[in-house]
Amino acid sequence: QFAYFMGVAFQIQDDILNLVAEYERYGKEIGGDIWEGKRTLMLIHLLNECEHIEKEKITDFLAKPRCKRDADEVNWVYNLMEKYDCIEYARVVARQLANESLKEFDVAYANATSPEDKEFIRQIVYYMIERQL
């Protein structure tokens, strides 16, 4: 359970960074997940929160192959994510999952014999959801 919660929190943070990180530090295409139409937590939240007409337009966008999408559409989706606080929502969920991971950490590593190694692993949980690159 420790690794499961930690892994999901890590993935959400990676998806957040795909939207807000600096390319030079992140090393990947910024906004690439929107271009690709990946069903990230932010996109799912957006679809649950937006107005009906916006949802229809997003659905049409997602139905197109990447090569048929343009920068204006990608920016529009990103701006909607900001409008509906999708990135902040994902940060909250990532933090909740990290906290659950730490609860499970105490169970999983209760009998660990090296306190230094144990603390190092515990700190990885915080690092991975707070990393800004």
Side-chain angles (χ1 to χ4, degrees), residues 34 37 39 43 46-47 50-65 68-80 83-84:
I34 297 174
R39 282 22 177 210
L43 181 63
L46 174 59
L47 289 167
C50 69
E51 296 175 17
H52 181 72
I53 192 75
E54 293 167 330
K55 188 173 188 173
E56 286 181 355
K57 190 172 174 183
I58 295 167
T59 302
D60 290 343
F61 169 81
L62 294 171
K64 295 184 210 178
K68 300 286 184 181
R69 297 176 182 148
D70 65 45
D72 288 340
E73 292 172 311
V74 171
N75 289 333
W76 179 77
V77 171
Y78 177 82
N79 289 333
L80 282 179
K83 174 183 175 182
Y84 290 102

Side-chain angles (χ1 to χ4, degrees), residues 90-109:
R91 283 187 174 115
V92 168
V93 171
R95 170 130 330 255
Q96 289 169 341
L97 288 165
N99 288 337
E100 290 303 314
S101 178
L102 289 172
K103 289 178 190 173
E104 295 297 330
F105 172 87
D106 291 334
V107 173
Y109 291 93

Side-chain angles (χ1 to χ4, degrees), residues 1-131:
Q1 290 290 5
F2 162 71
Y4 171 78
F5 289 128
M6 187 171 125
V8 176
F10 176 87
Q11 184 60 57
I12 292 169
Q13 179 64 17
D14 191 61
D15 294 344
I16 292 168
L17 290 172
N18 182 265
L19 296 174
V20 301
E22 296 175 20
Y23 174 78
E24 294 77 27
R25 296 177 76 191
Y26 185 57
K28 299 181 197 175
E29 176 185 40
I30 303 303
D33 289 352
I34 297 174
W35 277 100
E36 294 173 21
K38 287 187 180 177
R39 282 22 177 210
T40 63
L41 180 60
M42 288 79 68
L43 181 63
I44 293 165
H45 183 71
L46 174 59
L47 289 167
N48 287 330
E49 296 297 315
C50 69
E51 296 175 17
H52 181 72
I53 192 75
E54 293 167 330
K55 188 173 188 173
E56 286 181 355
K57 190 172 174 183
I58 295 167
T59 302
D60 290 343
F61 169 81
L62 294 171
K64 295 184 210 178
R66 179 183 171 132
C67 63
K68 300 286 184 181
R69 297 176 182 148
D70 65 45
D72 288 340
E73 292 172 311
V74 171
N75 289 333
W76 179 77
V77 171
Y78 177 82
N79 289 333
L80 282 179
M81 287 181 177
E82 286 188 325
K83 174 183 175 182
Y84 290 102
D85 293 321
C86 300
I87 296 168
E88 183 57 30
Y89 172 79
R91 283 187 174 115
V92 168
V93 171
R95 170 130 330 255
Q96 289 169 341
L97 288 165
N99 288 337
E100 290 303 314
S101 178
L102 289 172
K103 289 178 190 173
E104 295 297 330
F105 172 87
D106 291 334
V107 173
Y109 291 93
N111 297 322
T113 58
S114 172
E116 296 85 14
D117 293 341
K118 185 176 175 179
E119 186 56 26
F120 175 76
I121 294 170
R122 179 189 302 278
Q123 292 302 315
I124 289 172
V125 176
Y126 289 115
Y127 167 76
M128 99 187 148
I129 62 162
E130 294 171 357
R131 65 187 160 68

